[in-house]
Amino acid sequence: MRFMQWLHRWVSLILVVQVVLWLISGFFFALTGHQGMSGHQYMVPKKTLTELRKVAPKFGFEEIKQRFPNAHAVELVSVAGVGQYQVTLPDDVIYIDANTGSHWNTDETLATQLALRSYSGPGRVESVERVTGSEEVIGWNAPGFRVDMADDLNTRIYVDIASAQVVEHRNTPWTIADWAFRLHFMDYSGGRSFNHLLIWSAGLLALWFSLSGLILLGRNLINGDFNPRRKKTWLEQFQQQGHPVASSCGGGGTCGLCKVTLKGDNLPKPTDSENALLNRDELNAGVRLSCQHKVSTAYNVELVDKAVSDTRLTLVSKRQLTPSIVELTFTSSGNLTYQAGQFMQFRIPHIDEVLIRHYSMATCPDLNKLVFNVRQMPSPQEGVPPGVGSNYLCHLEVGANVDATGPFGDFQLTEQNNNTQVFIGGGAGIAPLRSLIQAEQAKQQPRHCVFFYGARNEDELCYRDEFEAYDGAAYTPVLSETTKADGWSGNTGFVHEAALAWLANEDLNAVDVYVCGPPPMLKATLKALTDIGINRSRIRFDDFGI
């Protein structure tokens, strides 16, 4: 069902894009009209051109019939005053000069003359080019001439050499209409046909979208989602009662933040979302997602994050760590107890609404101050606004206040064991990892720590001096975009590749791994760790890309 939801959403996006293209192109067709799209604005109607003049062929009609006894038809026409036999054979049509008896041949001068006879616009001949067919004329692949006219529509006239026929007129409005047709018919080859693979695929996707929509609708009806008197989910219940519960997907079962612990003998089975987002130890311990289950009296429910509270933070210092990451230090309105690796939900005022953004604490627990690393997200391109939350926080002045809720999250150190603690991170993912490493190093008997941190270049290595100074933590920075001119002698490439190279010589049953960083890095690292056989229960990660 989870896969069906995922595929249903993406198929709907594809279909919406195509429907928008149909609407836009259809509206264009209605406004432009047939004549406007034809390319024939300056074309003299053919019936005007077919005026037959009396011609006196030197090569007789009977000679043609004897030469082509299988001909279905023989017709004598005038081409600019010269006789031409058009001989229709069973599988071809050939054109004979009625004066010489040889195959008709159109030279550049005659082609220009014929083009001008078919043209009624204000332009003059700009150029004449010999061509073999044209993508602008469907189905015409024969030798010919392209005559370009200097006019307001950029008219192009195509003349066939073998027949001396004006094949087509094309111009700029036709070119625009041609692309509108391609978008409308989803036929980007220009073949003007519905019978192609892309539109078959679109039809199958539309069928899948309809069927999966019916199945999902049926599930919603069975679950009573449209019944105003239906039972609430635990997440809705907690939110209605004012309990602070983390959630980024609004109850869609995709973020995995709204964890609760169920206690009792009749616990509900894990849903597909829970099987995907929670590990086996959590499921066995009764941890579930509060958005996935309706309120019930069959078992007891406890919030996983019991110490959560609302707090007002005051900015006391701000410093630029790297060109893109800013360190913000706050004090809270009351003592805030948190565990290393946890995060806060910031309430960001934006226009007439409040946005929720998650930021992890970047130091080990401290009652007096809260430190965060914020990556200032620039505008990805002109016309697209920069990151709202990060820009709001990065532009706060010292002394400014911001409201937050927390702490949340279970991205925390494992219970005490003798395993090597391996940290793999990149970008602003350094915040919870730094907090975890500080917490481990603060213990009386810290476990050995290994930290791989990836950045594009040397300027983006956060807290480099601090990590290099640790005796109990091996720090390995990895740069992905450095060059020889930078003089960098350390590791290069992707950070997860450096970590895997190190893990290849380690006992994989004696490591606990913590991962946090940009979504592509996180995805690649988790896959690589799974591929080399590290047990899922010993891999912890913080997905701040949700």
Side-chain angles (χ1 to χ4, degrees):
M1 193 60 73
R2 182 178 169 82
F3 174 74
M4 181 181 292
Q5 287 177 304
W6 174 85
L7 190 56
H8 186 79
R9 284 198 296 271
W10 281 106
V11 169
S12 70
L13 176 62
I14 295 171
L15 294 179
V16 164
V17 170
Q18 186 55 45
V19 168
V20 170
L21 291 176
W22 281 333
L23 290 174
I24 294 175
S25 54
F27 191 61
F28 170 81
F29 296 152
L31 285 180
T32 307
H34 174 72
Q35 178 63 16
M37 298 186 295
S38 66
H40 296 171
Q41 284 85 341
Y42 294 144
M43 186 175 185
V44 176
K46 285 188 177 180
K47 62 181 181 182
T48 305
L49 289 174
T50 55
E51 53 176 309
L52 279 178
R53 298 180 181 177
K54 290 184 178 179
V55 292
K58 296 178 181 178
F59 202 75
F61 187 80
E62 290 301 324
E63 292 178 85
I64 290 293
K65 289 182 61 177
Q66 292 176 3
R67 185 171 167 185
F68 300 101
N70 296 328
H72 290 177
V74 177
E75 184 179 5
L76 177 63
V77 301
S78 171
V79 177
V82 178
Q84 181 196 66
Y85 286 116
Q86 296 182 353
V87 183
T88 304
L89 300 175
D91 55 358
D92 195 9
V93 176
I94 60 174
Y95 304 88
I96 303 297
D97 188 321
N99 289 335
T100 64
S102 59
H103 283 272
W104 184 277
N105 185 52
T106 306
D107 60 19
E108 181 175 324
T109 301
L110 179 58
T112 305
Q113 181 183 353
L114 293 171
L116 288 173
R117 283 167 57 83
S118 71
Y119 179 73
S120 62
R124 56 178 174 75
V125 175
E126 187 175 49
S127 65
V128 180
E129 178 187 1
R130 195 178 182 102
V131 298
T132 301
S134 172
E135 291 183 353
E136 294 190 320
V137 183
I138 297 171
W140 181 61
N141 300 309
F145 289 96
R146 166 177 163 159
V147 181
D148 284 13
M149 306 299 296
D151 61 23
D152 56 325
L153 300 181
N154 297 315
T155 300
R156 288 89 66 184
I157 304 172
Y158 292 93
V159 180
D160 186 76
I161 286 180
S163 66
Q165 298 294 313
V166 173
V167 180
E168 266 301 356
H169 278 217
R170 297 298 187 223
N171 54 30
T172 298
W174 177 89
T175 301
I176 298 172
D178 183 56
W179 271 105
F181 271 113
R182 294 182 188 213
L183 295 173
H184 198 77
F185 292 119
M186 301 173 66
D187 177 15
Y188 304 109
S189 68
R192 302 290 192 281
S193 170
F194 280 114
N195 190 23
H196 55 83
L197 180 61
L198 187 58
I199 208 160
W200 297 344
S201 303
L204 290 174
L205 288 175
L207 179 61
W208 158 256
F209 178 72
S210 301
L211 293 176
S212 58
L214 286 173
I215 293 172
L216 293 172
L217 176 63
R219 187 199 63 168
N220 290 340
L221 290 172
I222 292 173
N223 292 338
D225 292 341
F226 300 117
N227 183 353
R229 294 180 292 179
R230 69 175 175 84
K231 283 187 176 180
K232 296 181 176 62
T233 64
W234 283 110
L235 175 63
E236 292 170 325
Q237 177 87 338
F238 289 136
Q239 290 176 333
Q240 190 176 51
Q241 295 175 349
H243 294 289
V245 181
S247 175
S248 286
C249 65
T254 58
C255 72
L257 293 178
C258 60
K259 294 179 181 178
V260 293
T261 301
L262 309 187
K263 294 185 177 180
D265 297 328
N266 191 23
L267 304 186
K269 291 182 179 179
T271 65
D272 291 343
S273 295
E274 290 166 334
N275 282 321
L277 297 171
L278 304 178
N279 62 45
R280 186 51 50 190
D281 290 343
E282 290 176 315
L283 294 173
N284 292 338
V287 176
R288 299 288 188 273
L289 300 179
S290 60
C291 67
Q292 296 293 295
H293 304 281
K294 300 290 179 56
V295 173
S296 171
T297 57
Y299 47 83
N300 296 320
V301 180
E302 292 182 358
L303 290 171
V304 171
D305 300 302
K306 299 176 182 177
V308 171
S309 63
D310 294 333
T311 186
R312 169 152 287 198
L313 303 178
T314 303
L315 184 65
V316 294
S317 69
K318 178 168 63 174
R319 69 170 170 145
Q320 195 80 35
L321 290 179
T322 71
S324 60
I325 296 179
V326 177
E327 181 191 79
L328 302 177
T329 302
F330 296 88
T331 58
S332 65
S333 55
N335 289 339
L336 187 67
T337 302
Y338 67 92
Q339 299 298 316
Q342 289 194 299
F343 66 89
M344 298 288 289
Q345 282 188 340
F346 281 76
R347 292 195 284 277
I348 308 295
H350 177 62
I351 308 178
D352 56 352
E353 60 180 336
V354 176
L355 306 179
I356 300 298
R357 294 292 184 269
H358 299 163
Y359 292 97
S360 297
M361 277 71 84
T363 62
C364 61
D366 188 321
L367 292 177
N368 299 316
K369 65 179 182 182
L370 296 168
V371 180
F372 300 91
N373 297 152
V374 179
R375 181 180 179 86
Q376 189 165 11
M377 300 299 293
S379 173
Q381 63 186 50
E382 187 176 353
V384 178
V388 175
S390 65
N391 276 273
Y392 174 83
L393 292 175
C394 290
H395 286 90
L396 287 177
E397 298 295 335
V398 172
N401 296 318
V402 61
D403 293 324
T405 304
F408 293 106
D410 56 0
F411 185 54
Q412 300 172 22
L413 291 169
T414 58
E415 297 296 328
Q416 192 64 35
N417 56 33
N418 293 323
N419 290 346
T420 298
Q421 306 297 289
V422 182
F423 302 87
I424 306 172
I430 196 169
L433 297 179
R434 181 187 182 222
S435 175
L436 293 171
I437 293 172
Q438 284 186 355
E440 185 64 34
Q441 294 300 309
K443 294 178 179 177
Q444 288 187 344
Q445 293 182 327
R447 293 170 289 187
H448 179 57
C449 296
V450 178
F451 180 27
F452 294 90
Y453 179 67
R456 287 194 293 269
N457 53 60
E458 204 167 354
D459 291 339
E460 295 187 345
L461 294 176
C462 305
Y463 304 117
R464 180 179 180 181
D465 294 341
E466 174 184 319
F467 290 116
E468 288 180 340
Y470 280 128
D471 292 330
Y475 173 58
T476 303
V478 184
L479 303 185
S480 61
E481 295 182 5
T482 188
T483 64
K484 290 184 178 179
D486 297 330
W488 175 255
S489 59
N491 289 57
T492 58
F494 293 118
V495 63
H496 72 281
E497 294 173 345
L500 287 182
W502 180 83
L503 285 166
N505 300 313
E506 298 298 317
D507 178 1
L508 300 182
N509 294 315
V511 295
D512 296 329
V513 187
Y514 308 84
V515 189
C516 187
M521 170 256 158
L522 181 67
K523 182 178 180 181
T525 305
L526 294 178
K527 181 179 185 307
L529 294 175
T530 303
D531 289 346
I532 64 174
I534 295 182
N535 191 291
R536 172 70 176 79
S537 63
R538 287 187 287 104
I539 302 173
R540 298 192 173 191
F541 62 93
D542 193 4
D543 186 359
F544 61 79
I546 54 178

